[in-house]
């Protein structure tokens, strides 16, 4: 029987978590981690990124991970790509979703992908065309992602009008989904709700996803505000692992297990088993060495009488 899900939680630890560490985790350890995530019921897992191995050796085994993930099955396989070449490799690997990313902040985009925003838009159009023109790739979703939507440690304030402008451009170029990211944790719930309300209107029925960093402790509150405004996918990383290596001061992601607990306690079904999610966290931690992890649910556990919305 298929589990009904009210909100999709995407686990980004194997990509966004590991890219910010100095650790190069062996592929066998990553596969064990991903298998545990699948067993916990994660509906979507970002297993890696198609970037040059010399830039991010932590993610050099992404093609192998995609192949293994296809064998595991039971979840949507997503990857991040910064350009057309990465997308072509992702299409060839057989992913379910390509997450293209560009920054609303021009200096961050130049620092992160070494392109202007207009050049990134040209890349995105080429990616959609490559998907459309590749036999058998018609079911691959192409998500247009915008980073630094609430501020940038290089530029500072990022005008909301720029966020709306580039979201509309991505939608017009054929995005199957719009992703909005608070890359450096500058957002607050009021701003998040305002921005996501407008983005969901611009999207006009195209799914919208949210990606927050918990730099100043507002990650969960921002997730809730985005969901209330219409975001259907919320990103998290087990143990709060991660950060953007090209944005000074960008600390870890929202803690997946805390996010799932919050949603389940609100009566929202995620399809995720919290006990098995903690088992997946333990497997991840066993392979991280001295890398720090975060979270509250792992220490406090559920309150007495807690009954999750998801029934396994």
């Amino acid at each position: 029987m298929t589990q009904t899900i009210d909100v999709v939680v995407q686990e980004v630890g194997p990509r966004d978590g590991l890219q910010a560490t100095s650790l190069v985790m062996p592929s066998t350890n990553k596969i064990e981690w991903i298998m545990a995530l699948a067993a916990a019921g994660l509906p979507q897992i970002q297993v890696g990124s198609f970037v040059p191995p010399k830039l991010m050796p932590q993610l050099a085994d992404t093609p192998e991970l995609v192949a293994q993930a296809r064998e595991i099955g039971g979840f949507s396989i997503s990857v991040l790509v910064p350009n057309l070449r990465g997308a072509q490799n992702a299409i060839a690997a057989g992913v379910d979703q390509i997450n293209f990313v560009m920054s609303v902040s021009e200096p961050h985009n130049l620092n992160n992908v070494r392109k202007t925003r207009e050049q990134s838009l040209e890349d995105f159009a080429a990616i959609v065309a490559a998907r459309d023109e590749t036999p058998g790739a018609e079911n691959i979703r192409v998500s247009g992602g915008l980073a630094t939507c609430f501020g940038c440690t290089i530029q500072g304030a990022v005008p909301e009008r720029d966020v709306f402008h580039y979201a509309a451009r991505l939608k017009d170029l054929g995005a199957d989904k719009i992703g909005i990211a608070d890359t450096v944790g500058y957002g607050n719930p009021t701003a998040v709700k305002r921005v996501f309300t407008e983005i969901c209107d611009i999207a006009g029925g195209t799914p919208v996803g949210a990606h927050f960093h918990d730099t100043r402790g507002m990650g969960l509150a921002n997730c809730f505000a985005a969901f209330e405004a219409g975001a259907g996918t919320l990103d998290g990383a087990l143990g709060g692992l991660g950060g953007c290596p090209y944005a000074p001061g960008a600390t870890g992601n929202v803690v997946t297990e805390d996010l799932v607990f919050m949603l389940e306690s609100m009566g929202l079904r995620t399809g995720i088993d919290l006990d098995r999610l903690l088992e997946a966290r333990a497997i991840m931690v066993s392979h991280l060495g001295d890398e720090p992890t975060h979270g509250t649910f792992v220490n406090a556990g559920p309150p007495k009488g807690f009954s999750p919305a998801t029934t396994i």
Side-chain angles (χ1 to χ4, degrees):
M1 182 176 179
T2 303
Q3 177 74 240
T4 300
I5 294 177
D6 298 313
V7 55
V8 173
V9 174
Q10 176 180 222
E11 172 62 35
V12 300
R15 193 277 304 177
D16 196 9
L18 292 181
Q19 75 173 18
T21 72
S22 58
L23 172 73
V24 179
M25 185 181 289
S27 301
T28 52
N29 294 352
K30 290 184 185 180
I31 293 165
E32 183 185 9
W33 175 12
I34 292 169
M35 288 180 65
L37 289 168
L42 267 296
Q44 186 162 303
I45 304 171
Q46 196 168 90
V47 301
S49 178
F50 283 93
V51 294
K54 65 180 181 180
L55 295 179
M56 285 191 181
Q58 306 96 317
L59 307 179
D61 58 351
T62 296
E64 178 185 348
L65 296 180
V66 171
Q68 290 291 326
R70 285 171 58 86
E71 290 189 15
I72 296 167
F75 61 93
S76 175
I77 304 165
S78 76
V79 295
L80 182 138
V81 304
N83 52 38
L84 174 60
R85 183 170 181 177
Q88 290 170 330
N89 290 335
I91 291 169
V95 304
D96 296 310
Q97 181 168 298
I98 293 169
N99 294 284
F100 172 83
V101 63
M102 62 173 286
S103 301
V104 181
S105 161
E106 181 89 322
H108 185 268
N109 206 57
L110 289 167
N111 201 38
N112 193 32
V113 296
R114 296 170 176 78
K115 294 187 178 185
T116 67
R117 293 173 296 187
E118 288 302 315
Q119 288 172 327
S120 285
L121 287 174
E122 291 172 4
D123 250 6
F124 185 74
I127 288 169
V128 173
R131 186 274 312 274
D132 292 345
E133 295 166 3
T134 302
E138 61 275 0
N139 292 327
I140 296 177
R141 299 181 300 275
V142 179
S143 173
L146 295 173
T148 65
C149 289
F150 295 90
C152 171
T153 51
I154 303 172
Q155 173 179 316
V158 172
E160 290 180 2
R161 64 178 179 275
D162 288 357
V163 179
F164 304 148
H165 170 76
Y166 286 104
R169 295 283 298 278
L170 290 170
K171 170 71 186 307
D172 291 343
L173 289 171
D176 299 311
K177 176 184 174 184
I178 302 294
I180 300 297
D182 182 14
T183 311
V184 293
Y186 279 15
N188 64 71
T190 297
V192 167
K193 191 164 187 180
R194 181 173 63 245
V195 167
F196 273 85
T197 298
E198 181 67 21
I199 291 295
C200 289
D201 184 60
I202 291 169
T206 297
V208 174
H211 179 101
F212 293 103
H213 284 222
D214 201 31
T215 312
R216 293 167 181 83
M218 288 196 281
L220 287 181
N222 288 338
C223 283
F224 175 66
F227 174 76
E228 274 204 313
T233 301
L234 302 174
D235 289 358
L238 280 181
L241 198 66
C244 178
Y246 298 106
T251 53
N253 293 280
V254 168
V255 178
T256 301
E257 54 271 33
D258 292 351
L259 173 61
V260 172
F261 169 69
M262 180 187 77
L263 295 169
E264 291 284 336
S265 67
M266 292 166 54
L268 296 168
R269 294 164 294 187
T270 65
I272 298 169
D273 183 316
L274 274 164
D275 290 334
R276 289 189 172 183
L277 188 61
L278 292 184
E279 292 174 6
R281 175 191 167 115
I283 289 171
M284 176 196 75
V285 169
S286 73
H287 299 315
L288 284 179
D290 296 329
E291 290 292 335
T293 55
H294 309 279
T296 55
F297 183 75
V298 67
N299 295 319
K304 185 176 182 179
F306 170 67
S307 179
T310 293
T311 55
I312 305 299

